[in-house]
Amino acid sequence: MNIQNKDADKQMMQDRVPELGLPSGGHYSVDHDPDDLWGDSRIIVNIGPTHPAMHGALRMVAKLNGETIEKSYCEFGYTHRAKEKLGENRTYHQFVVYTDRLNYCSALINNVTYAMSVERLMGVEVPERAVWIRMICAELARVIDHIICLGINAVDLGAFSFFLYGFHQREEAYSLIEKICGARLTTSYTRIGGLAADAPEGWEKQVKEWVKRTRKVIDEMDELLTGNKIWCQRTVGVGVMSQKFIHDYSVTGPSARAAGLNYDLRRDQPCMFYKDVEFDVPVGQNSDIFDRYLVRLEEIRQSLNIISQCCDRMKKGPIWSEDKRVRIPEKDVVHNTMEGLIHHFKFFMTGFEVPPGEAYTTFEAANGELGFYIVSKGGPAAHRMRIRGPSVYHFQTLSPLCEGGKIGDMVGILGSINIIAGELDR
Amino acid sequence: MDINTPVATIYGDLHEKQIERWKTQVSGLRERFGEKIEEVLFPREYPTDTPIVFVRADAICEVLEFLKNTPEFEYGYLSDLTATDEQEAPRFHVVYNLLARKTMTRIRLKVRVAEGESVPTAIGVWPAANWAEREVWDMFGVRFDGHPDLRRILMDVRWEGHPLRKDYPLRGYQFFPTPEPIDPSLLG
Amino acid sequence: MSKDGSAAYFTTRVDAVVNWARKHSLMPMPFGTSCCGIEMMATLCSDYDIARFGAEAIRFSPRQADLMIVAGIVNAKMAPVLKTVYDQMSEPKWVVSMGACASSGGIFNVYSVTQGIDTVIPVDVYVPGCPPTPESLIHAVIRLQEQIQKGETLSLRRERLARAGQLKAVT
């Protein structure tokens, strides 16, 4: 076809109408496209709730000019499960189950944070062995969350082997978690005042062996991608957040550390025994996708350090506080004594009472600052159970970061921010 | 034993050390804003972990800006913006949890809002408040003056009612036959 | 087959061969929304390889897939999207409802959650669990394969009825 001469083409098309059988009877025109809203061939693309690169069900609607995203808006709420309303309708004991489903890649961290927030409202002291096991579980969950974040980020940008190496280590970590609490993913392991069950004999040794193997695998994964030219070209300089941006948008966690902010709640606001273990906090410089990848990889190594130190320092002892307000009696006490039976009955029919008060308790989750703001007016259920998930504040940064970039960059940025739909929609 | 009993494995005595700083900060706030600070609930006297400062609705932006920028305060992070339904007049409390990263001090501001009234938006101080305020509108029905785009965020745009209010039933289902449509006017 | 056991050709029904081919070449479309999506990813990976059962080619486009694995919660905002995606798949199509949330709403009996995706689309196999372990999902795929071989899935029954002229229109 003669591209230069539009009129000649139009005439030629109209001449061919009878043989082509065009339905419009020959009124074929390239002048007006009804979908062209701004009159200059920019298009709206709906990167919908179901899309391979959307982690969980997120929606982004972008105005594209060629491949450049000029403006976009994001929507979520496709996995909203009303956990905050459930928090007002379930007892504190029953709510542990819902906390696993928040950041489901690292369920143990949510359990630990929730238990800490209720214990704070009640002033309950947790025994030492339970605290060490909680720390090991939290760092284990952090390692598997970072592996899955980096793995999915790599898969979106085309690197599949990285994901598979990491996933095998995740399966081994799942076996360890299964040994301690019976479930792989949705653990519901902590109880208010302690833990549901003790670690079996020799569990610490198995964890240490897993740590040794994982260190080698992480080094292999590092070699796969860090010096890789394609990876560097796709990730260096993409999705840069300045320090002002981070303060404006309340970005916390590895994304904030990759921008040079030396801020980690485990070290600055220490809880449990983080003061007694040695670990470094990796801080990046440029805050692009590449720096976030490096920060997460280094955090995995530091978490593995923490796990082996905790395994060495763990001692035998009780794993649940003996405080009568929270301690659910053992089955032999329930079946053989009257007080045990009544105590058990009251726990499960009405729930234990938390004194009136309010507190906002935070912990450094894998993604950032996970907070539980619990308002209690006495009674067995909370008056307000607010869950501050880091992903909400991080997802808000996606639109400003993608503006002016290409669609391919959007996929990389979304993976590096690590949005988990459970935490986002609650 | 309640919240005022410090637990060694949860922050230990971090908040004990901050009580002096909070006292100076609260008196500084009262001096600067006078009547606009309605009430202050302090940790030992009331079961809370940080001081709760009740601010009048029209002064909230000034107070947030002051807390963010003044040298002895420097509450640079908006940790959380949410609301609670108190069921007694005024009905809603809009809650702002702030964090000062250098000293790891937290503080809580609350604004009492009656049903139908509105609060000025905090977007000018922290753009992060954008979606948090949309969520408060969606879940509670509290309006924010000056918000560029106050529409539902978690629920479907066609939803009726505000789910986290105490009178909304836990099982109040609503069904929609079609997916949520794209709104090109948001793309300018 | 000839009398000494060597096979030159063997006779069968067309349906049986076609169903045998269909069951061993499932092309799943993962509709993963929440926690079950992680266990589905684990099933698709090397430790619990679902490629052993022929379901290796994961296709994210409904036009190219025949098995939709709904893994995770489907709420009021997502249900019409699910219906649209299901409608875009071409026959024969199968649906596995993975996990308690997809099958019945799970532990979330709340205002925003659909109490079971079978209120929106027809389901062939339900997998209980929260989340189901990868072994359960593989068991579900094997049960689905048995159903396909016998021609008992909802989609194949619709096909038979349509061929017999007895399919009533569903509005």
Side-chain angles (χ1 to χ4, degrees), chain B residues 139 153-159 163-164 168-180, chain C residues 75-85 104 107-115 119-120:
Chain B
M139 292 283 128
I153 193 171
L154 274 175
M155 309 311 300
D156 193 300
V157 152
R158 302 161 278 188
W159 197 273
L164 270 175
Y168 193 93
L170 180 64
R171 305 205 179 129
Y173 306 109
Q174 291 179 28
F175 297 106
F176 305 104
T178 53
E180 206 174 292
Chain C
N75 65 6
K77 211 166 170 180
M78 193 60 158
V81 175
L82 176 68
K83 182 87 175 65
T84 315
V85 169
S104 68
I107 53 176
F108 300 102
N109 191 352
V110 287
Y111 54 83
S112 63
V113 171
T114 328
Q115 301 294 298
T119 55
V120 186

Side-chain angles (χ1 to χ4, degrees), chain C residues 36 39-40 43 69-72 96-103 125 127 131-132 137:
Chain C
C36 285
E39 287 294 51
M40 185 173 61
T43 320
I69 304 180
V70 183
V96 167
S97 157
M98 178 182 176
C101 289
S103 309
V125 181
V127 193
L137 184 60

Side-chain angles (χ1 to χ4, degrees), chain A residues 83 86-87 91-99 114 385 387:
Chain A
K83 290 196 184 114
L86 279 169
T91 64
Y92 291 94
H93 188 68
Q94 290 170 333
F95 193 68
V96 182
V97 166
Y98 296 100
T99 57
Y114 172 70
M385 172 81 70
I387 303 162

Side-chain angles (χ1 to χ4, degrees), chain A residues 60-78:
Chain A
M60 185 179 192
V61 180
K63 176 162 94 169
L64 291 183
N65 187 358
E67 269 204 34
T68 317
I69 299 180
E70 282 196 0
K71 199 152 190 272
S72 59
Y73 72 89
C74 294
E75 267 183 32
F76 59 97
Y78 293 94

Side-chain angles (χ1 to χ4, degrees), chain B residues 7-25:
Chain B
V7 181
T9 50
I10 305 175
Y11 311 146
D13 54 354
L14 178 77
H15 289 305
E16 307 290 302
K17 293 189 194 137
Q18 292 169 342
I19 289 198
E20 282 309 313
R21 190 180 301 130
W22 276 327
K23 287 205 168 93
T24 16
Q25 287 180 344

Side-chain angles (χ1 to χ4, degrees), chain A residues 53-251:
Chain A
M54 285 284 153
H55 306 257
L58 314 168
R59 185 192 212 183
M60 185 179 192
V61 180
K63 176 162 94 169
L64 291 183
N65 187 358
E67 269 204 34
T68 317
I69 299 180
E70 282 196 0
K71 199 152 190 272
S72 59
Y73 72 89
C74 294
E75 267 183 32
F76 59 97
Y78 293 94
T79 52
H80 178 59
R81 293 184 271 197
K83 290 196 184 114
E84 297 188 358
K85 187 117 185 137
L86 279 169
E88 297 168 14
N89 288 287
R90 298 278 180 268
T91 64
Y92 291 94
H93 188 68
Q94 290 170 333
F95 193 68
V96 182
V97 166
Y98 296 100
T99 57
D100 299 320
R101 277 96 176 153
L102 284 169
N103 183 344
Y104 38 77
C105 299
S106 57
L108 287 160
I109 293 186
N110 308 319
N111 289 344
V112 164
T113 315
Y114 172 70
M116 261 171 41
S117 3
V118 182
E119 283 155 17
R120 197 177 184 202
L121 278 176
M122 300 179 77
V124 171
E125 190 76 59
V126 179
E128 201 185 315
R129 185 175 164 86
V131 177
W132 287 116
I133 298 183
R134 277 186 184 181
M135 278 174 74
I136 297 178
C137 287
E139 295 306 315
L140 201 62
R142 192 187 313 274
V143 170
I144 61 182
D145 195 312
H146 282 330
I147 289 180
I148 212 180
C149 166
L150 294 175
I152 294 190
N153 199 1
V155 163
D156 283 344
L157 297 178
F160 194 54
S161 317
F162 188 90
F163 176 68
L164 286 179
Y165 283 28
F167 240 79
H168 181 69
Q169 290 308 115
R170 286 193 86 233
E171 289 294 329
E172 295 191 8
Y174 272 166
S175 317
L176 289 172
I177 296 177
E178 208 173 2
K179 288 194 173 92
I180 196 170
C181 64
R184 288 157 52 102
L185 189 80
T186 49
T187 50
S188 306
Y189 181 46
T190 55
R191 299 284 181 263
I192 314 297
L195 300 169
D198 203 350
E201 266 314 307
W203 185 74
E204 297 95 60
K205 276 207 214 81
Q206 291 172 350
V207 172
K208 288 191 77 163
E209 281 164 33
W210 175 81
V211 164
K212 243 191 283 179
R213 284 195 299 267
T214 310
R215 273 206 188 104
K216 280 200 217 109
V217 170
I218 292 290
D219 289 334
E220 272 178 33
M221 287 162 71
D222 195 357
E223 260 174 66
L224 270 180
L225 276 192
T226 308
N228 188 317
K229 189 172 176 192
I230 302 179
W231 179 255
C232 292
Q233 279 184 339
R234 280 209 73 173
T235 56
V236 173
V238 178
V240 177
M241 296 187 196
S242 60
Q243 292 227 359
K244 180 172 184 304
F245 187 87
I246 288 189
H247 278 97
D248 279 346
Y249 283 93
S250 287
V251 176

Side-chain angles (χ1 to χ4, degrees), chain A residues 59 63 73 75 85 120 122 248 250-251 272 357-358 360 362 369 377 383-384 386 388 396 426, chain B residues 9 11 15 47 77-80 82-83 85-86 106 108 128 130 135 165-166 168 180 183 188:
Chain A
R59 185 192 212 183
K63 176 162 94 169
Y73 72 89
E75 267 183 32
K85 187 117 185 137
R120 197 177 184 202
M122 300 179 77
D248 279 346
S250 287
V251 176
M272 298 194 268
E358 54 183 81
Y360 177 59
T362 54
E369 179 186 313
K377 303 231 184 243
H383 174 81
R384 174 82 169 106
R386 157 75 179 172
R388 189 261 190 213
Q396 208 177 342
R426 281 156 278 127
Chain B
T9 50
Y11 311 146
H15 289 305
Y77 254 97
L78 175 71
S79 259
D80 197 16
T82 178
D85 180 353
E86 300 293 322
R106 293 184 188 267
R108 193 170 302 140
N130 193 329
E135 191 179 326
R165 291 188 172 188
K166 292 287 183 182
Y168 193 93
E180 206 174 292
D183 190 359

